[in-house]
Amino acid sequence: MCHFQSTAVLKDLKYADSHEWVKVEGHSATVGITDHAQDHLGDVVYVELPEEGSTVTQGNGFGAVESVKATSDIISPVSGKVVKVNQELSDSPGLVNLSPYEKGWIIKVELSNSSEVEQLMDSDKYSKFCEEEDAAH
Amino acid sequence: MGTFLEARKVGLPLMNLVRFKGLPILQQLHLEEELFRTSKENWCIVNDGTNDPTIVMGVSGKPAELLEIKPVLHDEIPVVRRFTGGGTVIVDQGTIFVTFICNQDAVPGLQPYPRPIMSWSSLIYDQWLRHQLTPVIDYVFGDRKFGGNAQSITKRRWLHHTSFLWDYEVRNMSYLKLPKRAPEYRLARQHSEFIWCLKDYLSRLTFIERTVNALGTHFSLKSVDSEANRDSSAVKFVPSTRLLTRQELEEAMSAADSKNSLAESISPY
């Protein structure tokens, strides 16, 4: 794990420029938002989850988080079918802040195109991306 | 001087300005949501009052927690759940609405997160209307609130809308409960103790004109006819903002009553 300022980036995950992470295991993937994202969003008070069985497409929104009076879309980093959603987030949306890479996972996906993952950033590239993004503002 | 102002505006991003008077709030929110999701342009929507008193909840609002449902049902007050976050308001003819819908690059250096967007938006009003920005960023003067805002953010685009209290009906506030999640400055005060009207200080027209002028220092504004042709593409946009049904409100009230009865029956006191 490497740290940029106070936010964490895990080495075995892949990252989208919209600040979602994905953990790929064979043809399955787990998706959530990064520590950088939750830190900038503020306290999450609600997570809008998709239906199990629905389809997600890389680059398109599939749900949203609410924080500081704003809904922020969650963009899928992969394409496929949603096989499981984290129902715990309905009662405990703050898990996204407390444990963004573990208990705060959002959906599990059966991938329809594993090669899409190659378009995502590895941990080093994502760390640099976050650094450049914060420096530009 | 005219050439200088024109030259200055040349470098500013374009923003379409649409003005309404008395547009129903549900229609306003549907328009906002459609422009936010489907347009690639920047927009400012101003609606000077809405027609009938309407309750507007945020995306995660729970009627049983936020509303006095029995009088809401009895008086047939419409309840809308909007697509943005934030709290519950009751809006009517005394409310002035101002909405900004922007591409991420419309404001150079602005990070697409709630607090930076709120800070930037408040500058539009702060340029001419002095107010204090609280930690949760409501529009307050001293310890009294005169406007509420909420936002929606997607990839490379954001929306910030505000309902300003030019005037309000005290009796309408009785439809709303004290929220569980409230900013610190509110404490446990009833609505009448912490909100404040703009009408004692300036006219509606002045408020709107000054806001538009302030916006004009950041964008090159183009007035768009509110009745202008809309994009008649084959794919019809379906908004998520909707009116709650009477059945939904009745069920929420029943569920809350059952929960309260159960709590009372097992209470040792």
Side-chain angles (χ1 to χ4, degrees), chain A residues 17-19 36-37 40-42 45-46 48 59 66-73 75 133-134 136-137, chain B residues 37 59-60 83-86 109-111 113-115 118 137-138 149-156 181:
Chain A
D17 62 3
S18 45
H19 300 287
H36 179 276
H40 282 64
L41 285 170
V45 298
Y46 173 71
E48 190 176 83
E66 183 186 357
S67 64
V68 199
K69 305 196 294 179
T71 50
S72 298
D73 281 356
I75 309 295
E133 193 178 79
D134 282 343
H137 297 100
Chain B
R37 291 285 179 201
V59 69
S60 61
F83 65 104
T84 53
L110 182 65
Q111 276 204 325
Y113 293 108
R115 288 182 190 276
M118 280 189 195
I137 315 182
D138 272 327
N149 56 68
Q151 306 183 131
S152 194
I153 304 166
T154 189
K155 206 171 176 179
R156 298 188 181 89
R181 289 196 311 258

Side-chain angles (χ1 to χ4, degrees), chain B residues 30 34 38 230-239:
Chain B
H30 281 170
E34 182 171 358
T38 67
R230 300 274 298 279
D231 181 358
S232 55
S233 58
V235 179
K236 185 171 165 52
F237 176 76
V238 179

Side-chain angles (χ1 to χ4, degrees), chain B residues 133-147:
Chain B
L133 205 65
T134 71
V136 296
I137 315 182
D138 272 327
Y139 296 123
V140 296
F141 204 87
D143 63 348
R144 293 172 74 94
K145 178 174 170 178
F146 63 88

